[in-house]
Amino acid sequence: MLPANLISALQTISGSGKPLIAVDADASKQAIKLEPGKQFQAEVQSRISEGLFKVQVAGQALQMRLPANIRSGDVIRLEVIATQPRITFSMIASTNPLSTPEQIGATARMLSNLAEMPLEHPIVKQLGESAVWQAAQSVPDAKLLAGALREILGKSGLFYESHQAQWVRGERSTDQLLEEPQNVLAGRSVPPSGPDRQALPTASFTAPGALREAGSLAPGTKPDQAASANNVISQPIAKELLQLVQQQLHALEHHHLGWLGQIWPGQQMQWEIQGDPEHQPRQQAERQWSTEMELTLPRLGDIHARLVFVENGVQLTLRAADQATFELFNRFLPALKDSLAGADIPLTAAVVEKS
């Protein structure tokens, strides 16, 4: 069953945007003079298979994936959104329009199926090989490193739909969206949008009714998951993004984010953030957040740090596998407390443990 906060997010996602329709078969752009922004009236000629139709557009027959309620003989109005890497239309209207409850119901079922599939990789892996702090020979500046970590987590793809909303409001550029996994993994590009900003870049969810290819199962999908996975084929998720969308659903339900990547060249770090569920009876300012980091450092060995942010300060737990590192942490703990106090961050509790 879909959790309440996922349904709320779904309502937000489905509040705007038009169904995007990608042409399955290659078409001659010259034959029908396709240009972004150009509109056509098209007739649905026949149904080829579930969700796939033969459509007559400007004298040329094209195969398109359309909403399930479309029938042969329907007249639809299309607007060209993109011609590269494939022809993509937005359906402006039809003689058999899809109602909002139907849209939400279909997408809710798809998300519910994904949410029920086992999540084998709750940690989002960094795209590419670039380190967060690229100056390998210099000591990281704490403020700059914190900003870089915030940016890398923002580009993880977990917040893509909220970034789309910012893009619509003009608060985020198209180039910034193109850097996120929803576009990088699927190899997509987005044409410059006009002043009306109607054409949204491809999302992991996009608007309900947006139909994309998901022709094969995600890596690691077991045979007994095939029935559930088949239900998301012909849904608005490219096959490369199924795992990421599952991670988004996991983050929404459990308020848990995980990231794995290079903190500086050659140094891997696993980073997790956990927040209290919103349904607990407490004010937003009173919600407790924690963050954990695991690293294997050349001189200190395996270390684990956990910070819990509470209303009156921060609580710290340090674990070290190496005895010398354990003793070092204990020796410098008072200096750390003084340093945090100087930054107006009271250290209300601190523990050093041997792992």
Side-chain angles (χ1 to χ4, degrees):
M1 186 173 187
L2 212 59
N5 58 333
L6 294 188
I7 295 175
S8 175
L10 176 60
Q11 294 282 357
T12 301
I13 292 167
S14 63
S16 62
K18 300 171 184 176
L20 300 184
I21 302 159
V23 176
D24 274 16
D26 290 333
S28 171
K29 302 183 186 73
Q30 292 76 18
I32 53 178
K33 297 180 180 179
L34 293 179
E35 297 175 356
K38 193 166 185 178
Q39 296 184 4
F40 296 91
Q41 182 168 294
E43 181 180 352
V44 180
Q45 293 185 323
S46 61
R47 176 176 177 244
I48 299 172
S49 61
E50 184 66 33
L52 184 62
F53 296 83
K54 181 179 179 182
V55 181
Q56 189 79 9
V57 183
Q60 184 165 341
L62 303 176
Q63 291 184 11
M64 296 183 183
R65 294 191 176 276
L66 298 173
N69 71 318
I70 294 296
R71 299 290 181 266
S72 298
D74 286 353
V75 176
I76 58 177
R77 188 156 188 82
L78 304 173
E79 179 180 347
V80 180
I81 298 301
T83 59
Q84 294 293 338
R86 63 189 310 187
I87 303 169
T88 304
F89 296 93
S90 169
M91 191 172 75
I92 302 171
S94 77
T95 55
N96 190 13
L98 193 66
S99 69
T100 300
E102 288 172 331
Q103 291 181 2
I104 294 175
T107 305
R109 286 192 298 272
M110 178 269 294
L111 293 178
S112 181
N113 288 336
L114 274 180
E116 290 172 1
M117 291 173 63
L119 178 60
E120 297 185 5
H121 304 286
I123 305 296
V124 176
K125 292 185 178 181
Q126 176 187 12
L127 285 179
E129 300 296 330
S130 297
V132 176
W133 183 264
Q134 299 187 15
Q137 304 304 319
S138 64
V139 177
D141 180 283
K143 290 184 178 180
L144 294 178
L145 180 58
L149 282 170
R150 177 178 180 177
E151 181 179 359
I152 203 72
L153 189 63
K155 292 180 179 178
S156 65
L158 294 174
F159 311 98
Y160 187 68
E161 283 66 38
S162 64
H163 292 171
Q164 280 191 313
Q166 293 173 358
W167 180 83
V168 171
R169 296 192 300 266
E171 299 168 2
R172 185 172 290 263
S173 71
T174 301
D175 287 341
Q176 287 177 306
L177 283 183
L178 290 175
E179 293 177 350
E180 298 200 31
Q182 277 79 355
N183 291 305
V184 174
L185 292 176
R188 293 170 178 144
S189 60
V190 181
S193 59
D196 58 356
R197 309 185 74 84
Q198 290 181 347
L200 288 177
T202 301
S204 56
F205 298 143
T206 314
L211 299 176
R212 309 210 181 282
E213 289 184 322
S216 62
L217 304 184
T221 302
K222 296 181 174 60
D224 60 356
Q225 299 167 13
S228 295
N230 285 336
N231 291 331
V232 302
I233 295 177
S234 298
Q235 295 296 338
I237 302 176
K239 60 181 180 295
E240 301 90 348
L241 302 176
L242 287 174
Q243 181 175 295
L244 179 56
V245 174
Q246 280 189 286
Q247 290 165 339
Q248 287 182 291
L249 296 174
H250 175 83
L252 279 169
E253 182 177 0
H254 300 285
H255 298 267
H256 173 268
L257 309 179
W259 177 86
L260 178 66
Q262 288 193 82
I263 185 69
W264 51 78
Q267 179 61 60
Q268 289 287 111
M269 182 181 82
Q270 182 168 312
W271 179 27
E272 298 184 39
I273 300 171
Q274 179 75 53
D276 284 340
E278 291 180 347
H279 58 73
Q280 291 190 2
R282 62 175 66 187
Q283 298 296 321
Q284 183 70 20
E286 298 176 350
R287 292 182 65 200
Q288 181 174 290
W289 290 87
S290 65
T291 182
E292 300 185 47
M293 291 159 280
E294 292 184 5
L295 303 95
T296 301
L297 298 173
R299 296 182 181 179
L300 300 179
D302 294 338
I303 63 172
H304 178 277
R306 184 171 190 264
L307 294 168
V308 179
F309 299 90
V310 293
E311 187 176 4
N312 58 341
V314 64
Q315 300 171 354
L316 171 65
T317 302
L318 290 172
R319 289 204 299 269
D322 186 81
Q323 179 64 31
T325 302
F326 170 76
E327 294 172 358
L328 182 69
F329 284 166
N330 270 310
R331 188 162 64 249
F332 282 93
L333 200 57
L336 175 62
K337 183 175 182 178
D338 292 341
S339 178
L340 289 172
D344 294 325
I345 305 174
L347 186 60
T348 60
V351 178
V352 179
E353 300 174 344
K354 181 74 165 54
S355 59

